[in-house]
Every structure is written in C-alpha cells, then in structure tokens.
C-alpha cells in the first residue's frame, strides 16, 4: 500500500512498512489501515496520512 504523508515539514510518498518504521512510530499496520478507512485523512504522529494513487508509479 502506497501512502502519502504530509506535515508542515513537507510531503513524502512511501510504502506502508517504510512509513510505519521511519515516520509513524512502529504502530501496528492494522491500526494504520483502520485509521485510514475510518477517517478521510487521519493524523498519526504529526503526519497526515492518505492512500496515494498506486497507478501513478
């Protein structure tokens, strides 16, 4: 799953595993996915998380 993370420091596009390890603070993947599907753009650890369009890559 490709994610777009944005904050006041900029925007990053990366896979879920990399985002979890480097940006989102080792939160379990199921909690990240649940937050994405329950909210439009949840904020986790200061990052606004949304699903990026994988067809673009």
């Amino acid at each position: 799953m490709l994610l777009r993370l944005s904050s006041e420091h900029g925007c990053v596009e990366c896979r879920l595993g990399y985002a979890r390890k480097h940006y989102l603070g080792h939160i379990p993947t199921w909690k990240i996915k649940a937050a994405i599907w329950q909210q439009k753009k949840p904020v986790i650890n200061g990052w606004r998380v949304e699903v990026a369009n994988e067809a673009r890559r």
Side-chain angles (χ1 to χ4, degrees):
M1 174 183 285
L2 188 64
L3 299 178
R4 180 178 298 119
L5 308 176
S6 56
S7 73
E8 68 271 3
H9 301 295
C11 184
V12 178
E13 282 192 8
C14 55
R15 295 257 173 224
L16 175 61
Y18 187 87
R20 189 175 76 85
K21 183 176 180 184
H22 295 280
Y23 298 104
L24 303 179
H26 297 282
I27 297 171
T29 56
W30 67 268
K31 284 189 177 182
I32 296 169
K33 288 180 180 180
I36 290 169
W37 300 129
Q38 290 175 2
Q39 302 174 24
K40 282 289 186 185
K41 295 178 184 173
V43 177
I44 302 172
N45 202 18
W47 292 92
R48 181 171 297 254
V49 181
E50 59 185 305
V51 176
N53 185 1
E54 292 196 34
R56 262 191 323 163
R57 289 190 108 195

